[in-house]
Amino acid sequence: MNWVKHEQNFSIDRVNKYLIACNQDVDKAMQLYRYNIQVSQALYPLLSILEVSLRNGIDRALTDHFRDARWLITRRMQFAYHPLMVYKDPGGITYPDLYFENKLQKAENWLKARSKPITHGNLLPELTFGFWLKFFDKNAIKILKGASIEAFTNRPARNVSS
């Protein structure tokens, strides 16, 4: 593939990073791009395993925390709309953090568009990696009293003194 085609296919902004890294050597930049794709291909299965394992671990931990196997549906108000779920803009103004709700709504819309029922089991795989990572946000940790940490079954014991 020639460089002009490469730029057209992958965007100038994207491929220029490779040119800079290779001191403007087009052949080396294209080879580096191919290497990057190969590394991404090699890591994808590991990232997929991490995502599914983390998701399922958090689901188990929050099922235990809420004592409710349908917590994504029935306990939404207790985490997605909690008064602590806020963020501050650079000017110091506080806004509701609707990340959880927005992601849940998007997943529900996706299921509805495919005529699938809105169930806990159907929602789980439709939620993004970012959704699950959000449970480790400092506010979510406070709201859930650290329950999401329980997803890590091999973690050091929690200090519960005091």
Side-chain angles (χ1 to χ4, degrees), residues 27-115:
D27 292 332
K28 285 184 181 177
M30 286 177 46
Q31 185 61 43
L32 182 60
Y33 193 85
R34 283 191 288 273
Y35 288 153
N36 184 56
I37 290 170
Q38 290 171 346
V39 168
S40 296
Q41 288 172 328
L43 291 176
Y44 187 79
L46 298 173
L47 290 173
S48 179
I49 290 167
L50 170 65
E51 179 177 0
V52 172
S53 298
L54 182 65
R55 174 195 78 201
N56 291 343
I58 293 170
D59 181 46
R60 279 190 302 276
L62 295 182
T63 294
D64 290 347
H65 173 75
F66 288 122
R67 293 179 178 85
D68 184 349
R70 296 178 60 239
W71 65 270
L72 280 170
I73 296 168
T74 60
R75 303 301 179 114
R76 185 177 295 187
M77 295 301 289
Q78 290 175 277
F79 68 95
Y81 291 106
H82 193 283
L84 284 179
M85 287 306 296
V86 296
Y87 68 92
K88 287 186 181 182
D89 72 8
I93 299 172
T94 301
Y95 296 96
D97 182 347
L98 299 177
Y99 185 85
F100 283 128
E101 181 54 27
N102 291 339
K103 292 297 182 182
L104 283 161
Q105 194 62 56
K106 186 174 181 180
E108 287 177 352
N109 291 343
W110 176 262
L111 291 170
K112 286 176 189 172
R114 280 145 193 79
S115 301

